[in-house]
Amino acid sequence: DAVTNLALQSEDFSTSWTSTNYTVSTGFTSPADNATANKIVRDATNTSSSALAQNVSVDSSTAYTYSVFAKAGEFSKIAIREGVSIGAYLSVNLSSGASIDSSLISSSSITPLPNGWYRISFTLTTTASQTSFGCRIYALPDSYTSGSPIFSWAGDGTSGLYVWGAQLEESSTAGEY
């Protein structure tokens, strides 16, 4: 069944996504075997307010699934998060494909794909008053072991990881991208 992806520019994080303390480069090989993947590089600012972000209008008290395709680069840990209301997150080690930590989600999935890519997703139900879903993506340092993906640290301005195909859908499972 066809799904509606509510995230805009889901293959180009340099356009409809707000980048705070990241640079976004385009033209890398994606899971679809074309040059549409992005590399996100954490800059050298020591701060906790760093993310790729897009806010999407949603219905309250409704199940949504947020997913992103990701691949390790110089960094091998990533988190995806709902950053407007609930603060739910899933953090993943992209070297092993293992979940590191999660909070406030009803389910999650980490699916290995060819060439080192994973599709990571989580499902949650929006709150009774929630009208916006904050799609957030964070590269995490090797020192990250658990807890919220929001904490102070600085990148080096060259190290990053690869992302592609963000999807937010009104569903209790991740549909076909």
Side-chain angles (χ1 to χ4, degrees):
D1 289 346
V3 297
T4 299
N5 186 356
L6 303 173
L8 301 175
Q9 297 296 325
S10 60
E11 294 178 13
D12 185 357
F13 296 91
S14 68
T15 56
S16 294
W17 292 73
T18 301
S19 175
T20 305
N21 300 112
Y22 286 94
T23 56
V24 179
S25 302
T26 59
F28 297 92
T29 303
S30 77
D33 201 29
N34 57 33
T36 56
N38 296 244
K39 183 175 186 180
I40 61 170
V41 172
R42 182 74 166 77
D43 74 13
T45 306
N46 189 352
T47 182
S48 62
S49 59
S50 302
L52 286 180
Q54 182 181 119
N55 293 341
V56 178
S57 293
V58 293
D59 294 327
S60 58
S61 303
T62 303
Y64 286 89
T65 297
Y66 175 38
S67 63
V68 174
F69 293 84
K71 178 180 177 175
E74 296 81 13
F75 291 128
S76 61
K77 296 176 181 177
I78 189 172
I80 59 173
R81 180 174 179 265
E82 189 290 311
V84 168
S85 181
I86 300 171
Y89 68 86
L90 170 66
S91 56
V92 174
N93 183 326
L94 297 171
S95 292
S96 64
S99 172
I100 301 170
D101 199 3
S102 64
S103 179
L104 303 171
I105 60 177
S106 55
S107 64
S108 65
S109 175
I110 304 166
T111 305
L113 301 166
N115 301 315
W117 284 93
Y118 290 90
R119 186 180 191 194
I120 59 177
S121 70
F122 69 72
T123 301
L124 59 75
T125 299
T126 54
T127 68
S129 61
Q130 187 171 354
T131 59
S132 183
F133 189 108
C135 299
R136 304 289 188 264
I137 301 171
Y138 305 85
L140 299 171
D142 291 340
S143 60
Y144 174 85
T145 56
S146 68
S148 171
I150 302 173
F151 57 92
S152 290
W153 70 285
D156 60 12
T158 59
S159 297
L161 51 80
Y162 302 92
V163 292
W164 181 80
Q167 183 162 295
L168 179 66
E169 58 196 289
E170 186 178 325
S171 174
S172 58
T173 59
E176 186 174 330
Y177 179 77

